[in-house]
Amino acid sequence: KLIPNPTTPTALVNNALFPFPGQSVMTIPAIKVDHSLSRKAKLSVYWSTTNSQRARALGGNQGDGLPFPITEVKGFFVRSQTERVNFDYTLTPTLLLHLGAGFLDHKSDTTSELTDYDALKGIGLRGVPLNRTFPKFQGLSNAQGGMKNMGNNDSAIGRAVLPTANASVTWVKNNHTFKAGAEMRLEGFIGVIYTNTSGFFSFSAEQTGPAINGLNLGGGTVGHPYASFLLGRVNSLNLTEAPNFRLAKQQWGLFAQDTWKVTRKLTLDYGLRYDYSNYFKEQYGRLLTFSAVTPNPSAGGKLGGVLFEGTGPGRCGCDFAKSYPLAFGPRLGAAYQLDSKTVLRAGFGIVYSGTGDVAGATGAFSVSNTFSSPAFGEPNMILNDGISVPRSQYQWPNFDPGQYPKLGTLTSPNVYYDQNAGRPARQWQWSIGLQREVTRDLVVEASYVANRGVWWNSAGLVNNNALTPQMLAARGLDATLLADRSLLTGNLTSAAAINRGFRAPYAGFPLTSPVAQSLRPFPQFGTLTPWWAPLGKTWYDSLQAKATQRFSHGLSATGVFTWQKQLSMGSANVPNVGGGGGAVNDVFNRAQNKYLSPFDQPFLFNLSVNYTVPALDGSRILSWAVRDWTVGAFLSYSSGMPILAPTSNNALASVLFRGTFANRVAGVAPFTQDLNCHCFDPNAKFALNPAAWLPDTPAGQFGTSAAYYSDYRQQRRPQENLSAGRVFRIRESIIFNVRAEFTNVFNRTQMGNPTSGNAGAAQTTNAAGKTTAGFGWINTANVAAPARAGTIVARFQF
């Protein structure tokens, strides 16, 4: 009775359309007060709050127009509050004290408007762990009709609390300016995840068509998932109690520095900074991690279970990772005036990043307890009978070292701390350059700027559950032989596997799994990806030239040209410091994975121009109307980003559980069209050349290709923005400001990137000759940059 009738009952499918309202309301009040308490003391206070509500909308909010309680719709509600206090006190004419503190309280909820639904009273469903939202019913339709998904399942309540503080003292003595201080940043994250707490029930055609198992019906189907739903025959159930967690970490910094004017021509800057940062930990030790040395009772006692921090039953009394205590960063800079218009500058420093952020850690609490059909066509449960799964199988927290894998599966733990997750990335930076005043208003400079980075987060360089040729050789197998590859990709019940003595590694191992799975170091699991593994490296070298035209006749401009090269190893993902990566060819041959960064752009040119219209002679009214308007432009032009090399089709991923890249063919151009020429129609031509790649690397072998090549890049994507504004001073204390900003001001249309993952993917066109799929296909339904957009802002100050 909760399901509404069709709105177009004469149609058999797609016969229900329910309009729904959508709204988004955001309020952001802010107050800032600056007050001079005395001639020596100044106080600055800032407060702001953000209240954002999106109750019903398309996209991630899953608006569907269905009525409560069965609708999938959910709301996004943000309530954030920021306070900052700064105090400056002049102790003596040459000694200044600064104290600062801040607090951010950010609440972000994704939840249904209905949070008190009782499944027993509403639909007679017994055994639901938490009566909060309508249970999730999924998979009720197929091509022959049915009903869309019902119920809101994935809601969560989160709160981030970030107190900060800093203190510093500045002392000017003779030719020295000394400064010393300390910084503190605490990060706490509190969350409750309600996903699957009302039950996630999946339905299939199997329960109303069991006779089709193993039969080829030539495209036909037997059974219907909606019929299975009407009979209450559930194919699989996902159930959990609500994880309620508290994550936290802390960061501290100390520094001391001096600016020493040695002579009238020479100035030195030198200092030392110390940073300490730990990794995110759960306050009560309820966060698990994969442990390679813990016996797993669910895998016959084989090593590879889970453990927990903290003390108490089921906990190790240990720390998952180590924090790095030696993050000392010396700094040295010098400026020497060669003549009255020329300055030589040089600098060197070591800097440390913070440890991993909370974004990855929160996903660790999305618990999945799936209970599947016991056999094809058999239901996992009958709705009318209620949920009968014992609480011990879905309770949270669960300190069972064998809770992974789930029964009959190869489910990996969703958390795996690297033992060095508390180590921050370290970067060596240096530069040397000349600055020259050409005229009174024009300054030019050129510098060599470089850095080297280590210990960047690089999970891609770790694969603790992959196979190597040596492991296979120990079992008498060779991945380069067709017969052995067929054996490895076949399941354990095959005659070849039985004849050669391969057996399940433990009781309960899924026999439908390939033989290769049974040979993995931890056969009970699939991929094991550690968090915050500090193995990534980066290399950056550049020549940077800059010209600055200071205000002259109302005009100022700055142009910066950079010629650079960026290399990386591993998944550092740090484009602003010359690194990046992620694509790994052979995880057990790390040296081979040093190649161009995915953020490498050899040439970059940025131009910023501002012009203020002067007063005009003649008409006072015309002069008042046009004067003091400021027109600005920001123009950015650069090389295109590299395109990732296609993957090989040699099935290595299914044999050794790690893939490789297709080998590049020397001397063959990778493009059939110049992506930047504006001279071809992507609806009629494919942009990439499959002949430039060997999609099938020799069977069982790793390719020798790099992940990125300098001559294999995306289309160049310029940024061209324009702004105009003016300040009207009505009185001394009353100001009216108006400003207009435009992005993509020339309304350039930029093509999407060509399909490049598989060089062997067939290039296809439809009957009209339009490209539709394949290697080098560009989907013209999408563009890479939005159309021209403008924003006008008016501000009244009094």
Side-chain angles (χ1 to χ4, degrees):
K1 294 181 179 180
L2 297 176
I3 298 175
N5 291 324
T7 56
T8 55
T10 56
L12 295 179
V13 295
N14 296 330
N15 55 13
L17 179 64
F18 306 107
F20 58 92
Q23 68 177 19
S24 178
V25 179
M26 180 179 292
T27 55
I28 316 177
I31 297 174
K32 187 175 188 296
V33 177
D34 296 291
H35 185 60
S36 295
L37 302 175
S38 67
R39 290 194 307 168
K40 292 185 175 183
K42 293 183 179 181
L43 179 68
S44 177
V45 179
Y46 175 82
W47 172 89
S48 73
T49 182
T50 298
N51 194 328
S52 174
Q53 300 183 30
R54 277 201 298 139
R56 295 189 183 186
L58 285 170
N61 237 18
Q62 300 178 13
D64 51 21
L66 292 177
F68 287 107
I70 68 171
T71 178
E72 283 189 290
V73 73
K74 59 191 174 199
F76 292 91
F77 306 95
V78 175
R79 295 173 299 280
S80 180
Q81 185 166 307
T82 302
E83 295 96 12
R84 289 197 297 267
V85 178
N86 287 285
F87 177 73
D88 293 282
Y89 189 79
T90 303
L91 299 171
T92 71
T94 61
L95 188 62
L96 175 67
L97 171 67
H98 170 80
L99 300 174
F103 186 78
L104 171 63
D105 188 351
H106 181 85
K107 300 176 182 178
S108 178
D109 300 344
T110 304
T111 182
S112 170
E113 295 181 49
L114 179 69
T115 58
D116 59 354
Y117 184 77
D118 189 321
L120 180 61
K121 293 181 179 179
I123 56 175
L125 179 62
R126 299 188 298 275
V128 170
L130 179 64
N131 284 313
R132 179 177 172 84
T133 59
F134 191 82
K136 180 77 170 183
F137 295 128
Q138 177 173 281
L140 309 185
S141 65
N142 61 15
Q144 297 173 335
M147 174 61 186
K148 76 173 299 296
N149 297 336
M150 297 185 293
N152 183 305
N153 179 61
D154 51 346
S155 59
I157 295 176
R159 182 182 181 188
V161 180
L162 291 87
T164 59
N166 63 84
S168 65
V169 175
T170 303
W171 181 31
V172 179
K173 181 175 177 59
N174 299 327
N175 293 340
H176 294 268
T177 300
F178 300 102
K179 187 173 183 179
E183 300 172 0
M184 178 204 75
R185 178 184 176 90
L186 307 180
E187 297 184 48
F189 192 90
I190 304 169
V192 183
I193 298 177
Y194 293 104
T195 301
N196 300 330
T197 56
S198 299
F200 190 130
F201 303 86
S202 295
F203 294 88
S204 166
E206 296 178 9
Q207 279 66 38
T208 43
I212 67 170
N213 188 21
L215 298 178
N216 184 354
L217 301 181
T221 60
V222 175
H224 198 292
Y226 189 57
S228 300
F229 165 69
L230 293 176
L231 294 175
R233 301 173 73 83
V234 179
N235 184 60
S236 66
L237 165 67
N238 201 313
L239 201 64
T240 188
E241 292 181 335
N244 184 341
F245 56 91
R246 303 172 70 91
L247 290 168
K249 77 167 186 177
Q250 51 186 299
Q251 297 180 199
W252 300 84
L254 301 171
F255 67 91
Q257 64 187 56
D258 176 26
T259 299
W260 177 22
K261 192 170 181 60
V262 183
T263 68
R264 293 179 59 187
K265 291 187 174 183
L266 176 64
T267 301
L268 292 179
D269 288 282
Y270 52 94
L272 180 66
R273 180 181 176 90
Y274 175 74
D275 289 284
Y276 179 82
S277 176
N278 64 357
Y279 61 95
F280 271 104
K281 304 178 69 172
E282 210 282 326
Q283 181 173 354
Y284 300 109
R286 295 172 296 187
L287 178 62
L288 61 81
T289 187
F290 163 75
S291 170
V293 296
T294 298
N296 191 328
S298 297
K302 293 184 69 67
L303 295 181
V306 298
L307 55 80
F308 297 80
E309 284 185 311
T311 57
R315 308 180 204 188
C316 67
C318 61
D319 292 328
F320 288 163
K322 305 172 184 176
S323 295
Y324 186 65
L326 301 176
F328 291 96
R331 320 286 171 86
L332 176 63
Y336 183 75
Q337 187 179 37
L338 299 175
D339 58 40
S340 61
K341 295 185 177 182
T342 308
V343 177
L344 174 66
R345 301 181 186 277
F348 169 81
I350 298 177
V351 297
Y352 289 86
S353 72
T355 51
D357 60 29
V358 76
T362 55
F365 295 95
S366 296
V367 179
S368 178
N369 299 305
T370 302
F371 306 97
S372 303
S373 168
F376 187 89
E378 292 296 322
N380 168 265
M381 62 168 286
I382 305 295
L383 284 179
N384 195 53
D385 295 338
I387 298 172
S388 59
V389 178
R391 178 176 176 268
S392 60
Q393 296 188 31
Y394 62 79
Q395 69 181 20
W396 192 91
N398 179 2
F399 297 109
D400 179 8
Q403 59 187 277
Y404 292 94
K406 305 299 182 182
L407 181 65
T409 72
L410 300 170
T411 310
S412 301
N414 55 355
V415 184
Y416 177 10
Y417 271 87
D418 187 271
Q419 64 178 356
N420 291 307
R423 169 167 282 186
R426 182 178 68 192
Q427 191 174 70
W428 300 62
Q429 301 177 343
W430 63 92
S431 65
I432 183 169
L434 279 173
Q435 187 178 48
R436 173 77 176 180
E437 184 181 76
V438 180
T439 67
R440 186 181 66 177
D441 299 317
L442 178 62
V443 177
V444 297
E445 56 186 282
S447 303
Y448 166 62
V449 180
N451 62 60
R452 300 291 184 267
V454 295
W455 304 340
W456 295 106
N457 294 338
S458 181
L461 286 174
V462 182
N463 192 334
N464 289 337
N465 208 23
L467 292 172
T468 66
Q470 294 76 17
M471 293 178 183
L472 295 183
R475 301 298 298 270
L477 296 168
D478 185 348
T480 64
L481 301 178
L482 175 60
D484 285 357
R485 291 198 304 275
S486 299
L487 170 68
L488 286 165
T489 55
N491 62 43
L492 284 169
T493 60
S494 68
I498 295 173
N499 292 337
R500 294 185 62 172
F502 291 101
R503 300 289 184 269
Y506 59 88
F509 180 83
L511 297 180
T512 55
S513 301
V515 172
Q517 175 66 38
S518 70
L519 303 179
R520 299 178 84 162
F522 305 100
Q524 64 270 36
F525 298 134
T527 301
L528 293 168
T529 303
W531 288 4
W532 308 319
L535 297 173
K537 297 181 179 181
T538 58
W539 297 259
Y540 177 76
D541 294 276
S542 69
L543 173 64
Q544 300 181 9
K546 181 180 179 180
T548 302
Q549 170 69 47
R550 293 177 293 217
F551 269 109
S552 175
H553 301 92
L555 176 67
S556 67
T558 299
V560 180
F561 173 76
T562 302
W563 178 29
Q564 63 182 17
K565 187 172 184 179
Q566 305 179 53
L567 302 173
S568 68
M569 178 189 297
S571 53
N573 295 324
V574 280
N576 58 326
V577 291
V584 174
N585 194 3
D586 184 356
V587 70
F588 293 112
N589 186 7
R590 289 180 184 168
Q592 181 179 320
N593 298 295
K594 178 183 177 180
Y595 28 62
L596 282 181
S597 161
F599 303 105
D600 177 72
Q601 294 176 283
F603 300 102
L604 297 95
F605 176 68
N606 295 330
L607 177 63
S608 176
V609 180
N610 285 281
Y611 178 70
T612 302
V613 180
L616 301 179
D617 295 331
S619 172
R620 293 180 58 188
I621 297 177
L622 179 61
S623 179
W624 180 87
V626 300
R627 76 185 186 200
D628 298 332
W629 283 92
T630 299
V631 180
F634 175 77
L635 310 175
S636 178
Y637 305 94
S638 60
S639 307
M641 294 287 193
I643 300 175
L644 182 65
T647 56
S648 174
N649 298 326
N650 68 351
L652 202 63
S654 59
V655 175
L656 298 181
F657 300 100
R658 47 200 175 98
T660 188
F661 299 120
N663 286 336
R664 176 109 181 240
V665 179
V668 179
F671 294 100
T672 61
Q673 311 291 332
D674 182 356
L675 294 182
N676 300 296
C677 71
H678 307 285
C679 60
F680 76 98
D681 181 2
N683 289 305
K685 295 182 179 180
F686 294 92
L688 303 184
N689 184 7
W693 306 93
L694 296 175
D696 298 318
T697 302
Q701 299 180 27
F702 282 92
T704 57
S705 174
Y708 301 97
Y709 289 87
S710 185
D711 62 344
Y712 191 49
R713 295 180 177 275
Q714 303 170 11
Q715 183 186 33
R716 293 191 291 268
R717 308 204 184 282
Q719 298 180 47
E720 295 156 326
N721 304 330
L722 183 69
S723 64
R726 181 177 174 181
V727 176
F728 296 88
R729 293 190 176 274
I730 301 172
R731 293 182 183 175
E732 182 178 353
S733 59
I734 301 178
I735 298 173
F736 177 70
N737 176 285
V738 63
R739 183 176 180 84
E741 299 178 347
F742 301 92
T743 58
N744 191 12
V745 66
F746 299 121
N747 207 29
R748 293 181 185 265
T749 300
Q750 299 177 11
M751 298 183 299
N753 297 324
T755 302
S756 58
N758 180 6
Q763 297 177 337
T764 60
T765 58
N766 60 18
K770 183 180 184 300
T771 59
T772 55
F775 186 67
W777 174 59
I778 296 176
N779 184 0
T780 55
N782 301 318
V783 292
R788 176 173 50 219
T791 302
I792 297 177
V793 178
R795 175 178 293 174
F796 184 69
Q797 294 177 254
F798 61 93

